[in-house]
Amino acid sequence: MADPVVAQKSPYGTEVKAGQEYWWCACGRSAKQPFCDGSHKGTGITPMQYKADNDATVWFCGCKATAKQPMCDGSHKRV
């Protein structure tokens, strides 16, 4: 299995809509960050589903090192 790539050293503030599903890129290779575009194929890393409970701004991890996938936990400060 490949290691995730740091997409950016800060989170992605993203507007989400209640009831919508989002697929967070866990590998860091997607050109559509913070979401999956299929670039993980062959890495052994798979995207993670996020379903929004309400309309809100959420902070998806950009460094791919968070312990609270797919949300930022501040790990980018140590990357």
Side-chain angles (χ1 to χ4, degrees), residues 4-5 23 33 72:
V5 173
W23 289 91
Q33 292 293 330
C72 176

Side-chain angles (χ1 to χ4, degrees), residues 4-74:
V5 173
V6 176
Q8 72 176 25
K9 290 186 176 183
S10 59
Y12 292 93
T14 307
E15 297 293 322
V16 296
K17 300 290 181 188
Q20 293 287 319
E21 292 180 359
Y22 301 87
W23 289 91
W24 174 71
C25 169
C27 73
R29 292 165 175 80
S30 174
K32 297 182 178 182
Q33 292 293 330
F35 304 115
C36 178
D37 69 359
S39 295
H40 64 276
K41 289 182 176 53
T43 66
I45 302 171
T46 57
M48 175 175 274
Q49 181 186 40
Y50 173 81
K51 187 169 183 179
D53 293 329
N54 51 25
D55 293 356
T57 300
V58 298
W59 297 90
F60 287 105
C61 175
C63 73
K64 312 305 176 184
T66 183
K68 297 183 179 183
Q69 292 181 345
M71 297 295 120
C72 176
D73 70 355

